[in-house]
Amino acid sequence: QVQLVESGGGLVQAGGSLRLSCVASGRTFSFSTYAMGWFRQAPGKEREFVAGISWSGGSTNYADSVKGRFTISRDNAKNTVYLQMNSLNPEDTAAYYCNRVRGTIPTGGSWGQGTQVTVSS
């Protein structure tokens, strides 16, 4: 079983920045062998893909809505994936989650509690 703990969310004004972190753990989970991604879910909407990063960190992909504003990175020594979010706007308001990913599809069987990001106008 993999445990995912997201943090770093908060309330920020439009144009501001936040950095999210996700720490993964599990007795048999080899973090450094999996691509990881960030997803978000706004109230009344389905969960959507935000950004993904390969196991090595050498390849990344982003949803069109965040391209150029968000940056995903990882530290395999710390079992942690990050999401740097700049130029935030109210449409970015959502609960943010991390998970294993293949392309834009989450592949982990469970989700963490997420971290709430609220952007005020």
Side-chain angles (χ1 to χ4, degrees), residues 22-78:
C22 169
V23 179
S25 63
R27 200 153 56 96
T28 60
F29 179 53
S30 298
F31 177 83
S32 62
T33 66
Y34 287 97
M36 296 294 295
W38 283 95
F39 300 80
R40 66 186 181 186
Q41 186 168 21
K45 295 187 177 181
E46 292 190 355
R47 194 169 296 177
E48 64 176 0
F49 171 81
V50 175
I53 189 166
S54 63
W55 64 272
S56 66
S59 177
T60 58
N61 60 314
Y62 298 92
D64 287 344
S65 59
V66 307
K67 208 170 287 185
R69 300 187 298 121
F70 290 10
T71 303
I72 188 171
S73 61
R74 67 189 296 161
D75 185 339
N76 285 344
K78 296 182 179 180

Side-chain angles (χ1 to χ4, degrees), residues 40-43 48 90-97 115-119:
R40 66 186 181 186
Q41 186 168 21
E48 64 176 0
E91 291 69 40
D92 296 316
T93 295
Y96 284 72
Y97 303 85
T115 187
Q116 179 67 37
V117 172
T118 303
V119 185

